[in-house]
Amino acid sequence: MTFLPRSIVPKAPPIKTQGIKTKLVPLIARSIAWDGKGRWIEPFLGSAVVALNIAPQRALLADTNEHMIALYRGIQEGSITGPAVRKFLEREGAELLDKGESHYYAIRDRFNEQGAPLDFLFLSRSCFNGMMRFNKKGGFNVPFCRKPERFRPALVTKIVNQVEWARRAMDGKDWEFVAQDWRITIAGARSGDLIYCDPPYVGRHTDYYNGFTDEESDDLAQALIGTDGSFALSNWLENKYRRNDYVDRWFPDYAWRTMSHFYHVGPQEALRNEMTEVVILSPCAAAPPGEPVQADEAPLPLFETSELSDV
Ligand SMILES: C[S@@+](CC[C@H](N)C(=O)[O-])C[C@H]1O[C@@H](n2cnc3c(N)ncnc32)[C@H](O)[C@@H]1O
């Protein structure tokens, strides 16, 4: 049995979303044993940060958020390239600087009518706190970050580099991006596949794409326990107020690997909460535990949707 790269210095993807696992990639990578002969399956792809950093040879990458899938398909097919992104962001960024927030909202309206991936990228990188949130009708509804100068040359270059990095990560690989429900994705898993699951945390960030109920979480646990593939499941384990009894209830006999990190709960530096995240591993997917992963002191921004009005 081989293991995934034991140490990865994670890179950030072009798209932002709350619950992004960039800081957990090292824990995920060092926890999983997998020979790479089947497919890396992610039913909850999100920003794709885990797949892009692990860079398996064969992958099935799925999410119900068709905008994420369309962006990565565009990068894969070559319709979204670094130079195209640069040209687009330079042009729209100059207009944002000139017109201010009305241009952000014009792009948001255009995106909600037409759904173009480059508009999606623009919104993801200039909305409030890099949030990803959609209203009941599926319209992107995050307000502007209020920085008309947002697309400075350094940020445009950074995003272009992230797009190019994503393209290189999937270049020559057998990756399939699909917009579909997790049940379909997991039902198609076969022996030899590794399913990495990062579902929405119940009760948090609820929106058009991220509503996840207790029943759905229970269905997911049952589907994973019954799958022919190996699996790794990310979830939160505890903070100083609460413990996630879902993990104790469904997976008491499975291997767990944990990591704590801090996140901000307000504007002040002192307002920080510690959260322990867990990766639960099916028997064949559990790499031997290594050195404990260091608690990451770097604060993460908090994305509480309740702080935002539903614009
Ligand atoms: C916690 S996020 C994944 C974050 C990702 N690992 C990352 O680091 O960016 C959960 C994802 O599940 C997706 N999702 C929600 N409900 C789903 C469903 N029923 N089937 C498939 N994907 C779903 C959401 O669109 C969201 O992208």
Side-chain angles (χ1 to χ4, degrees):
M1 176 66 72
T2 50
F3 306 110
L4 298 178
R6 294 291 280 181
S7 67
I8 288 183
V9 179
K11 290 193 174 168
I15 211 82
K16 300 280 165 205
T17 177
Q18 55 274 36
I20 193 166
K21 289 289 181 291
T22 315
K23 292 188 177 204
L24 290 183
V25 166
L27 174 72
I28 295 160
R30 68 186 297 159
S31 301
I32 296 176
W34 181 52
D35 63 12
K37 289 188 183 140
R39 293 167 302 168
W40 175 269
I41 297 183
E42 271 195 61
F44 306 93
L45 183 66
S47 69
V49 68
V50 179
L52 291 170
N53 277 286
I54 302 275
Q57 188 56 36
R58 296 206 288 145
L60 172 60
L61 305 172
D63 200 292
T64 43
N65 184 336
E66 68 266 38
H67 305 296
M68 307 271 208
I69 298 299
L71 179 81
Y72 283 114
R73 272 202 187 146
I75 293 174
Q76 185 181 44
E77 291 160 6
S79 57
I80 297 173
T81 61
V85 167
R86 179 179 295 285
K87 196 168 158 198
F88 178 85
L89 292 180
E90 283 177 353
R91 187 184 71 227
E92 300 295 352
E95 231 176 305
L96 183 68
L97 184 61
D98 185 38
K99 296 183 181 158
E101 68 171 28
S102 68
H103 190 59
Y104 172 86
Y105 290 106
I107 300 255
R108 202 176 75 171
D109 289 347
R110 185 170 77 187
F111 170 72
N112 285 334
E113 275 165 31
Q114 300 168 11
L118 286 179
D119 284 343
F120 181 56
L121 185 61
F122 175 99
L123 294 171
S124 171
R125 302 309 289 258
S126 58
C127 68
F128 177 73
N129 257 355
M131 291 274 308
M132 176 76 57
R133 197 186 58 175
F134 294 81
N135 63 23
K136 288 195 196 83
K137 291 183 189 155
F140 188 83
N141 66 356
V142 185
F144 183 42
C145 69
R146 300 216 177 139
K147 293 178 191 140
E149 72 289 1
R150 180 82 181 130
F151 291 103
R152 291 199 180 95
L155 180 65
V156 171
T157 296
K158 186 174 176 182
I159 299 170
V160 166
N161 288 342
Q162 288 165 340
V163 168
E164 288 292 339
W165 169 67
R167 186 190 56 75
R168 284 196 304 278
M170 61 182 89
D171 203 28
K173 309 254 174 69
D174 181 4
W175 286 17
E176 190 186 354
F177 292 96
V178 277
Q180 66 187 21
D181 185 81
W182 64 265
R183 294 173 187 81
I184 301 168
T185 309
I186 291 182
R190 301 184 289 265
S191 165
D193 292 339
L194 188 291
I195 306 169
Y196 169 68
C197 269
D198 182 21
Y201 295 170
V202 172
R204 300 185 77 200
H205 316 309
T206 300
D207 79 343
Y208 185 75
Y209 291 108
N210 272 298
F212 217 62
T213 62
D214 285 327
E215 293 71 41
E216 210 169 353
S217 292
D218 289 344
D219 290 350
L220 174 63
Q222 272 171 322
L224 288 175
I225 289 167
T227 183
D228 285 339
S230 302
F231 72 84
L233 169 66
S234 280
N235 224 296
W236 70 280
L237 184 61
E238 60 191 349
N239 61 22
K240 88 175 167 199
Y241 307 105
R242 287 198 304 155
R243 183 163 169 108
N244 186 356
D245 73 336
Y246 172 76
V247 177
D248 295 310
R249 199 154 31 88
W250 282 103
F251 303 101
D253 301 326
Y254 284 73
W256 298 1
R257 306 282 182 267
T258 59
M259 188 182 122
S260 298
H261 65 82
F262 288 88
Y263 63 93
H264 273 150
V265 292
Q268 289 155 9
E269 186 62 23
L271 291 175
R272 300 193 313 156
N273 267 348
E274 189 173 13
M275 170 72 89
T276 301
E277 304 276 351
V278 63
V279 179
I280 300 153
L281 300 146
S282 64
C284 293
E291 293 297 305
V293 176
Q294 292 300 311
D296 189 343
E297 285 289 326
L300 291 172
L302 178 77
F303 301 106
E304 284 297 352
T305 50
S306 56
E307 287 175 10
L308 298 170
S309 60
D310 189 34
V311 289

